[in-house]
Every structure is written in C-alpha cells, then in structure tokens.
C-alpha cells in the first residue's frame, strides 16, 4: 500500500513539472510570435510610408516637368501677342523692332569668342543663340515679317569660319527717336498704321525724316509684326 502511494506521488509530481515547462514554452513561443508580428507590422508601415513619399515625389517631378515645359513654351513664344489702343505699347514695340539688329551685335560683346580679320574688316564670333542664319532670322521675325527679317539678315556682314558664324560690327549707326510725342497711331480693321515724324536729328538726315509702319497679325503664329516700313531713313537695312 505504501509503495502504491509513493508511485502516485511521483506521477503527480511529474505532471506538475511537465505542466510548468509547457507553460513556459508556450509563453516564450507566444512572446516570439508577438515580436515577429510587431516587426512585420513595422515593416509594412515603413513600406506604406515610403510608397506615399515615392508617389508624392513622382507628382512633384511631373509638376516640375510640366512647369518647365510651360516655361519653355513661354520663352519661345512671339514677342507680342496683342497691341491695345495704348500708343505707348506701339512706341515700345517699334523701338524694340528698330534696335533688334543691335541685339546681335551686343551679343558678341558678351560672348568670349574669337575675332578674325579679313580684308581689313574684323569679324566677331557669335554665341550659340545666334550661331546660325535661321536663329538670327527667327529673332528678327519676332518683330518683323519674314521677308523683312530676311532682308535685315542679308544686310548684315557675316561669314563662316570653321563652321562658326561671325559678324562684322558696322561703323555707321542710325540713331532714332520714337516716342508718343512724334508718333500717330491709327487703327484700321485688323491692322495698325503708324506714322513717326522727325524720327531723327536733322544732322543725321536733312531730308525726309518720316517713317510709316503697317502692323498686322501673322495668320499662323498670331503674332503682331511689322508688315511694311516705308521712309528714307534707315532703309538701307531693308534693301
């Protein structure tokens, strides 16, 4: 009987030990599972955050590219899309147009290019924005009709040297005075007729010092341009 009781006590003790050990293992297993799940949740959160940032950066990049595209289109648009009834607008436009050749000459002063001499005449290298005939004509065409822009170019003294375009700066200029005081503007249908009297000092032109302009809109570009310029002063640029 005593021996049987001893065996019963040993069995109970074994069950108690096994239960404690299993409980600890379960707790450890549960703790390990919780940590693993926590890491997975943290990783998922980081992935979602990164995804949101990537999407935001993509939107910004697209927005930036779109802005740059609009900016480029604006830069390459025509000089003037419209001229109102304000005489000052017309005066400003004509002053820019009459000095457009000076833009090309002045570009050689800003550009650190070479200078070549031929037949006693100096030619200066033009920068990239004016390094072809078409680029210069396109610049003139912002104010003048295509035929007049081409005439302006033909009256420049240019030459090609090693595939580089050079221009010679003339020694004679044509100072002009176009202001609201000596300018008359008349609207006629889709055109604007402009008369400028006493456009320069008598010392530069003792004869006729009156210029007549006809401004219209190009049918393709919708740009305001000078379709004709009549008058003796400065006509050498357009012959």
């Amino acid at each position: 009987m005593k021996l049987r009781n001893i065996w019963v006590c040993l069995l109970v003790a074994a069950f108690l030990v096994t239960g404690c050990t299993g409980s600890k293992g379960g707790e450890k297993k549960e703790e390990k599972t919780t940590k693993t799940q926590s890491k997975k949740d943290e990783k998922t959160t980081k992935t979602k955050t990164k995804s949101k940032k990537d999407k935001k950066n993509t939107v910004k990049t697209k927005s930036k590219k779109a802005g740059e595209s609009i900016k480029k289109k604006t830069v390459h648009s025509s000089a003037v899309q419209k001229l109102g009834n304000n005489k000052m607008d017309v005066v400003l436009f004509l002053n820019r147009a009459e000095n457009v050749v000076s833009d090309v000459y002045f570009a050689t002063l800003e550009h650190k290019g070479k200078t070549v001499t031929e037949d006693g005449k100096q030619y200066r290298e033009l920068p990239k924005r004016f390094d072809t005939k078409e680029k210069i004509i396109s610049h003139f065409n912002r104010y003048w009709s295509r035929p007049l822009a081409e005439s302006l170019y033909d009256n420049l003294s240019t030459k090609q040297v090693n595939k580089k375009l050079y221009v010679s700066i003339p020694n004679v200029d044509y100072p002009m005075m176009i202001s609201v005081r000596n300018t008359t503007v008349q609207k006629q249908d889709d055109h604007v007729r402009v008369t400028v009297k006493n456009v320069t000092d008598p010392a530069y032109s003792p004869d006729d010092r009156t210029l007549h302009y006809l401004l219209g809109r190009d049918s393709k570009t919708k740009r305001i341009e000078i379709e004709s310029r009549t008058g003796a002063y400065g006509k050498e640029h357009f012959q």
Side-chain angles (χ1 to χ4, degrees), residues 75-127:
V75 170
H76 292 290
S77 64
S78 59
V80 175
Q81 293 289 353
K82 63 180 180 179
L83 285 176
N85 295 323
N86 189 342
K87 187 187 291 186
M88 180 57 80
D89 292 342
V90 177
V91 167
L92 291 171
F93 180 79
L94 291 179
N95 273 295
R96 289 292 298 134
E98 287 290 354
N99 288 282
V100 74
V101 175
S102 297
D103 294 343
V104 177
Y105 294 149
F106 188 75
T108 64
L109 298 179
E110 297 178 305
H111 181 55
K112 295 180 180 180
K114 298 178 180 179
T115 300
V116 297
T117 303
E118 186 175 299
D119 297 330
K121 186 184 290 187
Q122 284 192 340
Y123 292 84
R124 298 174 181 175
E125 183 183 348
L126 284 161

Side-chain angles (χ1 to χ4, degrees), residues 4 47 61 85 124 134 145 156 184 187:
R4 185 179 178 183
T47 303
T61 302
N85 295 323
R124 298 174 181 175
E134 186 55 40
S145 65
L156 295 178
T184 302
K187 201 79 182 286

Side-chain angles (χ1 to χ4, degrees), residues 50-185:
K50 185 179 179 182
S51 178
K52 287 182 180 179
K53 287 182 178 179
D54 290 342
K55 287 182 180 178
K56 190 179 290 185
N57 290 333
T58 302
V59 172
K60 286 183 178 179
T61 302
K62 287 183 179 178
S63 177
K64 186 178 179 181
K65 286 183 178 179
E68 289 175 353
S69 178
I70 293 172
K71 187 177 180 181
K72 287 180 180 178
K73 289 181 180 178
T74 304
V75 170
H76 292 290
S77 64
S78 59
V80 175
Q81 293 289 353
K82 63 180 180 179
L83 285 176
N85 295 323
N86 189 342
K87 187 187 291 186
M88 180 57 80
D89 292 342
V90 177
V91 167
L92 291 171
F93 180 79
L94 291 179
N95 273 295
R96 289 292 298 134
E98 287 290 354
N99 288 282
V100 74
V101 175
S102 297
D103 294 343
V104 177
Y105 294 149
F106 188 75
T108 64
L109 298 179
E110 297 178 305
H111 181 55
K112 295 180 180 180
K114 298 178 180 179
T115 300
V116 297
T117 303
E118 186 175 299
D119 297 330
K121 186 184 290 187
Q122 284 192 340
Y123 292 84
R124 298 174 181 175
E125 183 183 348
L126 284 161
K128 189 173 182 179
R129 67 189 183 107
F130 290 137
D131 64 355
T132 67
K133 175 181 178 179
E134 186 55 40
K135 286 181 180 180
I136 295 176
I137 291 177
S138 295
H139 182 67
F140 294 166
N141 194 208
R142 297 179 68 202
Y143 305 93
W144 303 90
S145 65
R146 181 75 187 192
L148 292 177
E150 290 176 349
S151 294
L152 279 172
Y153 179 85
D154 291 340
N155 281 281
L156 295 178
S157 182
T158 60
K159 72 182 295 77
Q160 287 274 352
V161 180
N162 296 327
K163 297 183 179 180
K164 298 284 186 179
L165 188 63
Y166 288 70
V167 66
S168 177
I169 312 299
N171 295 321
V172 179
D173 61 348
Y174 292 87
M176 300 185 69
M177 182 179 66
I178 303 176
S179 74
V180 293
R181 300 181 185 184
N182 65 339
T183 301
T184 302
V185 178

